[in-house]
Amino acid sequence: MRLAFEQWAGTLGPLAATPERRPDSVRRTTSIQTIWPGEIDLASNLTMIARGQDVLTAADGSGEVFDTAAIELSAAGPAHRVTAITAKPAPPELDAAIGASLMSGFRKAIGSALTDANGSVLGLLLDDLPAAMIVAASVPIRYGIETTGVLPEWMKQPGAAGPYTCLGHRTGGAMEQRRLAGAPLLGQGPPAGAIGRPDDPLAWPETPPMPAHSTRRLRRIDLSLIGDELVIDSHFRDSYMESSGVETSVHEYEVAVTADADDRRVRTVEVRPRVLPGPECPQAASKAQVVVGHPLTDLRRFVRAELRGDAVCPHLNDQLRALTDVPALADLLLHTKGTR
């Protein structure tokens, strides 16, 4: 069975390139890859490889790496429970992740044990691992359809896809109707294209190649101080490596935010949906306006508490939650500007 791509109204298509680092700015970039080293099914062992870095760019355009982190973990079983994890830096509290399910409970286990990572690259990677796993969890289903050419009978049953809480998968929505009709939308997207910058080795952290049927989550946060405003340009992409060797985009958003440089409260939000799996998904962009007036430092908690149910997009929520780290990046930027 061939899974066809359709571009929905309200989306812009994949981002063509990563912008240049701006003078007097700080950039945080992360990458999380999920790979099945053996059999690809819901209970198989898998590996996640995560990398991230903060780069401070001076007025003359030169860059300096200020913070880095790397994580490798193994997980197994239908709940994708962590069986092993290593990290650099390697806090001893990381052992709290062993046995935790990446599908439910991982963030709570890590958050309770590891409190000193807030605002750091390591903290963002740990927070983003479960979200990346949710995307990767669809790979065995997709792989089975692609290799056998048959849609499993359970996918044709009402409610069989699980208790989704997002606009795209809402009960009675277009994605459910397509699944029941035997033509599911599983995130098949357009060619993602390479957004690295060969002219700038600091644009992204080094990541291993993507084997077939693996997924990758890329995230970028650029921060500048202009007048009395923090100006934030962020982008994220989930992608899937087809058996043909073509990397395709699954979810992709740009989010531009301004915030008060003193009290760090959000002033404006602009969401630009680029690639989404269902025709109703772009409608979730308007929900981001709820964070206007709210402090950046509290976005991780606020978004989890307020943006819930079947009228939101969890991937957009993750993009907003990641902006909780902006005040730490702003402190780095202000400190270095003040010491020059």
Side-chain angles (χ1 to χ4, degrees):
M1 175 183 291
R2 178 177 174 81
L3 298 172
F5 164 65
E6 300 174 53
Q7 182 167 343
W8 312 117
T11 60
L12 302 172
L15 187 69
T18 297
E20 293 183 6
R21 289 180 288 112
R22 297 190 296 263
D24 281 327
S25 71
V26 61
R27 168 174 290 180
R28 172 167 291 181
T29 46
T30 60
S31 169
I32 301 175
Q33 291 182 217
T34 306
I35 300 166
W36 276 261
E39 295 293 325
I40 301 176
D41 61 50
L42 293 174
S44 294
N45 295 340
L46 57 85
T47 300
M48 300 187 83
I49 302 171
R51 302 285 187 269
Q53 64 183 24
D54 288 344
V55 175
L56 186 73
T57 303
D60 63 2
S62 61
E64 180 179 358
V65 177
F66 266 73
D67 187 16
T68 64
I71 301 172
E72 294 193 21
L73 70 78
S74 299
H80 306 299
R81 294 191 180 277
V82 177
T83 57
I85 184 169
T86 60
K88 294 181 181 180
E93 298 89 347
L94 203 62
D95 287 344
I98 302 297
S101 168
L102 287 163
M103 303 302 288
S104 177
F106 180 88
R107 282 173 173 164
K108 183 176 181 180
I110 286 294
S112 299
L114 188 60
T115 59
D116 294 338
N118 293 339
S120 67
V121 176
L122 178 64
L124 178 57
L125 287 175
L126 289 169
D127 186 75
D128 221 11
L129 285 170
M133 185 65 248
I134 288 174
V135 176
S138 68
V139 169
I141 300 171
R142 180 169 176 168
Y143 174 77
I145 294 172
E146 291 175 342
T147 53
T148 66
V150 177
L151 184 69
E153 285 300 318
W154 66 265
M155 288 194 69
K156 302 175 186 177
Q157 304 304 313
Y164 287 107
T165 54
C166 73
L167 192 150
H169 287 282
R170 70 195 315 171
T171 301
M175 291 186 74
E176 182 182 63
Q177 293 175 27
R178 290 284 293 267
R179 176 176 59 80
L180 296 177
L185 298 168
L186 296 176
Q188 52 268 33
I195 58 172
R197 295 196 65 97
D199 61 334
D200 182 7
L202 297 181
W204 289 93
E206 288 190 20
T207 57
M210 289 180 70
H213 310 296
S214 64
T215 59
R216 178 166 63 185
R217 168 165 287 203
L218 295 175
R219 188 179 300 286
R220 170 180 57 83
I221 301 173
D222 282 340
L223 173 66
S224 298
L225 175 63
I226 300 177
D228 66 346
E229 281 193 331
L230 299 175
V231 178
I232 305 155
D233 172 47
S234 67
H235 170 254
F236 106 99
R237 170 188 287 171
D238 288 323
S239 61
Y240 172 74
M241 182 59 75
E242 306 280 351
S243 57
S244 63
V246 175
E247 181 184 1
T248 56
S249 184
V250 178
H251 308 105
E252 193 166 344
Y253 280 103
E254 287 179 287
V255 178
V257 173
T258 62
D260 188 286
D262 292 326
D263 66 17
R264 278 76 186 287
R265 289 183 178 272
V266 176
R267 288 180 174 176
T268 64
V269 176
E270 179 189 358
V271 178
R272 297 187 287 273
R274 286 200 161 270
V275 179
L276 292 169
E280 295 161 327
C281 296
Q283 299 170 25
S286 63
K287 297 297 181 181
Q289 297 304 314
V290 72
V291 306
V292 173
H294 207 74
L296 288 165
T297 52
D298 192 43
L299 283 188
R300 191 162 277 133
R301 181 206 64 81
F302 179 77
V303 169
R304 290 194 71 179
E306 298 298 324
L307 292 179
R308 303 167 65 90
D310 64 357
V312 303
C313 173
H315 311 292
L316 175 57
N317 285 2
D318 284 333
Q319 186 74 340
L320 296 171
R321 292 174 70 257
L323 300 183
T324 298
D325 294 347
V326 165
L329 300 178
D331 290 341
L332 170 63
L333 184 60
L334 290 167
H335 174 74
T336 53
K337 285 172 70 72
T339 57
R340 286 175 186 153

